[in-house]
Amino acid sequence: YYVCNECFSIFRGDNNLRDPFSEEYFNYDMARHCSRRNNRNRELTKLVGEIYDASATFTVCDFGASDGSLLLEIKRDFPKASMVGIDLKLDTLIRNGADAFHTMEEAFDRHNIDLLISSNTLLYTDYEEFVSILQKRKPSNVILTGPNHLIRPVQLFYDDVITNASP
């Protein structure tokens, strides 16, 4: 993918994507390759462990936090970490102990974010706020992940055509 520095549109640079309607895809053994949410959360927590040691005090913000399960996983391994979640629905995040916000601007106004994580959610949002906040208030560390499109090519089709179509 390439990102335009002017408008932040995303352009795909490859031409060798699997056909999302191929018979091979529908017969693909997803159970062997699927990264379930708990596995993804565990892997992301391991990445956090490469940045911080278990006794570190830092503020982690999950952009697209959903129910806060990733934040809870991180909190289990890093008990001194403060949890901040950004999502449309805040009630579960709050019940799980996170300071919850609807926008990045609100979260960054209230907290000094050390680590920003966006796991499989950046592709569903408008990039302008995201990029603008990161340019103004640079967190020490950023972890961005997305779906594995070699395993789920229909997701790539959906992302390009429905959610964030490029001109």
Side-chain angles (χ1 to χ4, degrees):
Y1 283 98
Y2 302 99
V3 179
C4 174
N5 290 329
E6 306 259 338
C7 68
F8 302 108
S9 290
I10 296 177
F11 300 92
R12 199 167 61 215
D14 58 357
N15 294 319
N16 299 318
L17 295 174
R18 293 174 55 193
D19 176 4
F21 302 106
S22 126
E23 189 66 28
E24 175 187 329
Y25 174 73
F26 291 109
N27 293 320
Y28 196 73
D29 183 4
M30 292 299 284
R32 279 189 5 191
H33 301 282
C34 181
S35 175
R36 297 183 188 278
R37 181 174 70 167
N38 291 339
N39 290 343
R40 185 175 68 238
N41 289 348
R42 177 83 322 242
E43 291 303 313
L44 286 168
T45 302
K46 286 180 191 175
L47 279 174
V48 175
E50 294 178 19
I51 301 169
Y52 300 100
D53 57 65
S55 62
T57 301
F58 61 96
T59 301
V60 59
C61 178
D62 186 3
F63 178 73
S66 184
D67 62 0
S69 60
L70 173 59
L71 291 170
L72 289 173
E73 181 96 21
I74 292 170
K75 185 73 169 177
R76 188 169 42 240
D77 287 9
F78 303 90
K80 293 183 180 176
S82 298
M83 301 185 303
V84 176
I86 301 169
D87 210 289
L88 298 176
K89 288 183 65 178
L90 304 181
D91 53 338
T92 307
L93 272 171
I94 293 167
R95 276 197 308 272
N96 284 332
D99 204 357
F101 301 94
H102 285 118
T103 68
M104 284 182 65
E105 189 163 3
E106 291 173 314
F108 275 80
D109 281 348
R110 297 274 304 276
H111 293 277
N112 182 19
I113 307 294
D114 299 300
L115 171 62
L116 175 66
I117 299 176
S118 176
S119 171
N120 292 348
T121 54
L122 184 59
L123 51 123
Y124 299 112
T125 190
D126 178 3
Y127 300 96
E128 286 185 32
E129 179 188 19
F130 191 84
V131 171
S132 171
I133 294 290
L134 291 183
Q135 287 174 336
K136 287 188 255 178
R137 307 179 189 164
K138 300 171 175 47
S140 303
N141 298 285
V142 177
I143 298 174
L144 305 174
T145 69
N148 183 341
H149 296 303
L150 294 177
I151 294 172
R152 296 191 64 213
V154 167
Q155 181 74 43
L156 185 59
F157 175 78
Y158 173 81
D159 298 342
D160 278 351
V161 175
I162 310 296
T163 305
N164 194 19
S166 298

